[in-house]
Amino acid sequence: MKPTGGFRESLRALPWLAPTLVLIAGVVIYPAGLMVYTAFRKFSSYGFEQGPAGLANFNGPAGAFTFPTVPMGRIWLNTVVWVVVVVALTLVLSLLLAQFLNLNFRGRKLLRLAIILPWASSVVMTTTVFHYGLQTDVGLFNRLLVETGIIDHAIGFTKNPTMAFWVAVFVAIYVSLPFTTYTILAGLQSVPDDVLEAAHVDGANGMQRYWSIIFPMLRPSIAVATLINIINVFNSLPILKILNETPGYNTGHTTTTLIFEYKAQLGPGVASALSLVNFAFCLVIIAIYLIVVQPTKEVA
Amino acid sequence: MTRIRKTLVALGLATALTLTACGGGGSSSSTGPAETGPDGKLPATTIKILAPSYSDSSKSDWEKIITKFNEKQPNVKVELQIEGWDDFSSKVQARIQARDFPDILNDNAFAGAASEGLLYPINEVMSPETLSSIEPALLKNGEGSDGTQWAAPDIASSRMLAYNTDLFQQAGIAEAPKTWAELEDAAKKISELGADTYGYGLPLGQEEAQVESSLWLWGAGGDWVQGDKLVANQPTAVEAFGEMKKLIDAGATQPNPGATNRQQAADLFNNGKLGMMLSHSGLLKVTRENFPQTKFAVAPIPSKGGDPVAFGVTDFIVAFKNEDANRKEATKQFLDLMYSDKLYETWYKGTGLLPVTQSMIEKGRAEDTANAEFYEALTYVKFLPVGNPKWDALQKALQGTAGTVANDSPEAVLTKVQAQLDAQG
């Protein structure tokens, strides 16, 4: 092929790319465009369009950032804490778990299966199990904690917004572990044995072998796992929504759950306005991660 | 260079995964007279019903009417969608946003939709005979503040104080409280009976905080309506919220009132762990049938001064304007059929609540002795200002905020409610 035939070549590829392009236009570009449009339209709380809104959905009297009684600062902080804590703890635990699952022992297959199970079940279902288990009167987890003497009376873990937030963090880590662990496990299995053996012969101890050889080689897997986790966790709605029983604008929200609270009370215009900013915020978090950690840098 | 490209690819991937989809929809239209055939049959068309689930039988109760309707109008297809109460308004919202208006909606609010011109006045889709069969005092509740009859009530319920007679006996309380002071005293005594027993069930969660707080407000002699405005931050409301807070602080309510819905309070009551709660005939029907070991009685709701307060709710039938003469005519025939004595009787009994047509109220008074007090209360009930277009905003603000009174002063809570109300113009 001649290098100058770029345009022609693209044209020839078009019929094969067309289905994908149509799909992207239909399920990504059109809804995103509609969201931007909606953010600048006035809606009644019933969801009925009433005309142009200018910036009122952002900073009007009932705007996304100016609606009274919404603890906006706290909600931004929650959002950052939610993403950073869940993703970081998931990663650390997954690194340990993957290392363990990479060992050779009896029953390894069964254990690997057990760890993948939370991933195979629906997040809503898993969260609902935790939600019921933590109820004060009928909850099994509460009963277990009381009867083992860890706490002396049942606690309404999900009845207080701040406590419910931390329960949600726990559940989010729990459901994120399988995917992350398996991504890292796949990375571990691509570390060549002869390199490790050579290091061993050269007298490197376990720690040195891990930090100087294994960890750098895991970089691509960690990068993939972290990026996908950031996006997933940032957009995660069901866990926080199911576990936070307190209604209204409380200290247990992240911006993503706030979007849905707004949708119910103030209509789709305000919800879209917050979605737009929320989306930009997610990109900023990812950009910071990419710039600071440089996970895609090739191993020297 | 490669790093920048990879960063861009990563951001692109992020973009694709972050965006979520939402949809729109279209609607067909045709106006003019209905194309009724010489045999009175309408041409093929579809009418859509959206209704909440009052009980397990709600779906089959509606289907009975549909079957009967299809005997008369075999060409009209009836699409029925039943949804749970707890998330009902967002289901309605979704249908409205998608411009997929149900022809018949059974809901507890109508003013918002009416003020946006989405509804037919109900007398366009119900015959004068049907409308006049409805108890006038209840029918009035479906009138908007503009004087138009936008909605027709379909069921009514009144709230009263239900109390567990066994717990009252154990605590040595002779009779049902009439004043706030007596209520407080009784609730404290019952809470002291044991670790798992609570005096008063206070559901200030998402579902019904507006009902509970309105009852306390009326008990203090106040009202949300002042002139043609709705006012949250007013002295009587501060008094009402102060009284609720007093109960919470004294440990005389169930734990976490701000996250409790009425059903959760009813569960406690059914299991004999709750001394008193404000309840309605539908909930108490369950107690009577499924929890016979729980003995209870009902009494008027206590107030500050001792005059009984009673609260009435009607749910409504509204008809959305679909600009289609055939659908409108089918809707009209369906509704007239629905309110006919025989079908209406089965339908309303399925909800466990009280009827709205005069003939059924009369019949219920005579036969339904278990609910005699509730029929009695229907004569002096007060209603929420559902005809006021601002009510939806106040209701949402109360649902989201009233529960915070457990950790905040009554003044602060009401200031927040008022601020949310004001911000929505």
Side-chain angles (χ1 to χ4, degrees):
Chain A
M1 293 275 166
K2 283 177 211 155
T4 47
F7 177 69
R8 267 242 203 97
E9 225 174 282
S10 308
L11 211 62
R12 241 184 297 158
L14 203 61
W16 281 270
L17 288 176
T20 316
L21 291 178
V22 168
L23 196 68
I24 291 175
V27 303
V28 178
I29 298 174
Y30 168 70
L34 191 65
M35 184 177 83
V36 175
Y37 170 78
T38 308
F40 296 97
R41 304 291 290 179
K42 190 170 159 40
F43 284 84
S44 71
S45 62
Y46 245 111
F48 204 70
E49 202 174 326
Q50 293 173 320
L55 288 175
N57 287 334
F58 294 86
N59 61 5
F65 301 96
T66 41
F67 191 60
T69 74
V70 181
M72 212 61 215
R74 176 64 188 260
I75 288 169
W76 284 119
L77 181 70
N78 277 354
T79 310
V80 174
V81 169
W82 169 252
V83 174
V84 172
V85 171
V86 172
V87 173
L89 282 181
T90 303
L91 195 66
V92 171
L93 290 174
S94 299
L95 282 170
L96 292 170
L97 255 172
Q99 206 62 39
F100 174 61
L101 289 179
N102 201 32
L103 299 176
N104 225 335
F105 56 90
R106 275 172 77 96
R108 183 171 75 159
K109 276 195 178 130
L110 267 179
L111 193 67
R112 283 184 175 182
L113 185 71
I115 284 174
I116 211 165
L117 274 179
W119 196 23
S121 37
S122 125
V123 175
V124 173
M125 192 193 86
T126 311
T127 314
T128 309
V129 169
F130 276 98
H131 180 231
Y132 282 148
L134 290 169
Q135 291 300 307
T136 42
D137 38 11
V138 291
L140 288 179
F141 298 149
N142 242 322
R143 210 167 118 188
L144 180 76
L145 290 173
V146 171
E147 286 183 1
T148 50
I150 295 171
I151 53 179
D152 59 328
H153 61 92
I155 296 176
F157 288 100
T158 55
K159 313 278 180 181
N160 167 316
T162 310
M163 216 190 306
F165 177 81
W166 288 105
V167 173
V169 167
F170 176 83
V171 176
I173 292 172
Y174 176 80
V175 300
S176 307
L177 272 179
F179 167 75
T180 321
T181 306
Y182 273 77
T183 312
I184 292 171
L185 191 57
L188 275 180
Q189 287 173 348
S190 68
V191 176
D193 278 339
D194 48 355
V195 178
L196 289 175
E197 233 169 87
H200 196 69
V201 171
D202 287 347
N205 65 25
M207 269 305 183
Q208 284 170 327
R209 284 203 301 273
Y210 187 79
W211 288 114
S212 313
I213 298 170
I214 300 179
F215 191 75
M217 289 183 116
L218 282 179
R219 260 188 120 120
S221 337
I222 293 176
V224 170
T226 310
L227 269 181
I228 291 184
N229 268 335
I230 290 179
I231 295 162
N232 258 342
V233 170
F234 187 88
N235 285 327
S236 168
L237 176 75
I239 302 176
L240 280 159
K241 199 158 166 68
I242 291 173
L243 288 173
N244 195 342
E245 287 186 60
T246 321
Y249 305 105
N250 54 52
T251 51
H253 277 294
T254 64
T255 45
T256 302
T257 55
L258 185 65
I259 291 172
F260 283 79
E261 204 66 29
Y262 278 160
K263 184 181 141 277
Q265 188 169 8
L266 303 175
V270 180
S272 297
L274 183 58
S275 292
L276 266 189
V277 177
N278 200 35
F279 171 53
F281 190 63
C282 183
L283 287 189
V284 168
I285 290 188
I286 292 170
I288 290 175
Y289 169 73
L290 292 177
I291 291 163
V292 173
V293 186
Q294 301 196 350
T296 48
K297 204 168 77 176
E298 300 296 334
V299 182
Chain B
M1 187 60 210
T2 41
R3 186 156 73 76
I4 291 172
R5 195 182 297 152
K6 278 183 181 168
T7 308
L8 283 178
V9 168
L11 281 174
L13 174 76
T15 313
L17 289 174
T18 321
L19 294 168
T20 50
C22 54
S27 67
S28 61
S29 76
S30 85
T31 41
E35 300 151 26
T36 317
D39 51 354
K41 293 213 166 73
L42 285 161
T45 186
T46 305
I47 59 171
K48 299 172 180 178
I49 300 175
L50 176 59
S53 166
Y54 289 100
S55 68
D56 296 341
S57 69
S58 285
K59 190 158 184 278
S60 63
D61 291 339
W62 277 101
E63 275 164 357
K64 275 177 206 144
I65 307 175
I66 294 170
T67 312
K68 203 82 187 163
F69 174 75
N70 278 337
E71 283 171 16
K72 272 174 66 184
Q73 293 293 358
N75 303 327
V76 180
K77 199 171 156 243
V78 183
E79 265 178 37
L80 175 67
Q81 184 185 352
I82 301 269
E83 296 289 345
W85 260 130
D86 47 351
D87 203 24
F88 194 69
S89 51
S90 71
K91 296 286 189 312
V92 176
Q93 201 186 45
R95 293 279 295 259
I96 292 180
Q97 267 169 265
R99 299 289 187 276
D100 178 19
F101 303 140
D103 294 275
I104 297 172
L105 169 70
N106 179 185
D107 199 354
N108 57 10
F110 64 88
S115 66
E116 284 167 33
L118 301 179
L119 302 179
Y120 288 124
I122 202 74
N123 56 17
E124 288 184 20
V125 285
M126 277 172 113
S127 69
E129 296 79 46
T130 306
L131 277 173
S132 63
S133 72
I134 297 172
E135 167 68 35
L138 299 174
L139 186 63
K140 201 163 178 344
N141 203 24
E143 202 174 274
S145 46
D146 57 355
T148 310
Q149 186 79 43
W150 290 111
D154 57 352
I155 50 100
S157 82
S158 47
R159 300 285 157 94
M160 298 195 78
L161 182 78
Y163 61 99
N164 182 319
T165 43
D166 286 341
L167 288 178
F168 265 55
Q169 214 171 8
Q170 282 175 44
I173 308 161
E175 57 178 9
K178 287 192 179 60
T179 62
W180 281 358
E182 288 170 16
L183 172 75
E184 213 181 301
D185 186 54
K188 275 187 205 156
K189 280 186 184 154
I190 293 166
S191 283
E192 281 158 12
L193 287 177
D196 282 346
T197 315
Y198 313 106
Y200 181 80
L202 188 65
L204 288 180
Q206 179 90 54
E207 186 191 41
E208 267 208 340
Q210 81 279 14
V211 172
E212 189 73 21
S213 44
S214 298
L215 277 161
W216 289 89
L217 174 70
W218 293 340
D223 202 338
W224 301 119
V225 185
Q226 299 200 342
D228 58 350
K229 281 196 350 204
L230 297 179
V231 181
N233 197 2
Q234 49 171 309
T236 42
V238 172
E239 227 179 315
F241 275 69
E243 188 62 29
M244 289 195 270
K245 189 174 174 60
K246 226 159 125 188
L247 284 176
I248 300 169
D249 290 347
T253 67
Q254 88 287 4
N256 310 302
T260 308
N261 287 334
R262 193 163 301 277
Q263 186 56 52
Q264 290 156 330
D267 291 343
L268 287 173
F269 188 81
N270 289 340
N271 289 301
K273 291 178 176 174
L274 196 60
M276 297 169 271
M277 72 176 286
L278 305 182
S279 195
H280 59 71
S281 48
L283 282 176
L284 291 175
K285 185 181 166 203
V286 176
T287 316
R288 202 177 292 121
E289 286 169 5
N290 302 348
F291 300 87
Q293 74 283 8
T294 302
K295 301 274 180 286
F296 67 90
V298 292
I301 297 170
S303 66
K304 191 179 153 206
D307 293 332
V309 180
F311 172 82
V313 185
T314 51
D315 289 344
F316 300 100
I317 295 287
V318 294
F320 278 84
K321 225 187 247 178
N322 275 316
E323 308 290 0
D324 183 312
N326 291 332
R327 285 171 77 171
K328 190 176 175 184
E329 180 57 30
T331 303
K332 184 170 181 179
Q333 294 189 13
F334 187 92
L335 289 178
D336 283 342
L337 187 69
M338 175 180 171
Y339 279 88
S340 66
D341 275 354
K342 221 175 127 220
L343 285 173
Y344 180 69
E345 185 171 10
T346 347
W347 185 85
Y348 99 77
K349 281 193 172 154
T351 66
L353 301 168
L354 306 181
V356 295
T357 62
Q358 296 176 31
S359 53
M360 283 301 130
I361 293 177
E362 208 169 305
K363 199 170 171 201
R365 279 220 172 96
E367 293 172 4
D368 190 4
T369 46
N371 286 323
E373 291 97 337
F374 288 98
Y375 279 101
E376 177 64 29
L378 264 192
T379 57
Y380 63 90
V381 290
K382 277 185 82 151
F383 292 101
L384 292 173
V386 284
N388 191 313
K390 301 297 294 171
W391 170 247
D392 290 356
L394 177 58
Q395 170 165 325
K396 293 254 172 61
L398 285 170
Q399 286 174 339
T401 318
T404 56
V405 76
N407 312 310
D408 218 340
S409 75
E411 290 85 358
V413 174
L414 287 159
T415 310
K416 282 196 228 164
V417 173
Q418 187 69 46
Q420 292 186 17
L421 191 58
D422 292 342
Q424 292 175 76

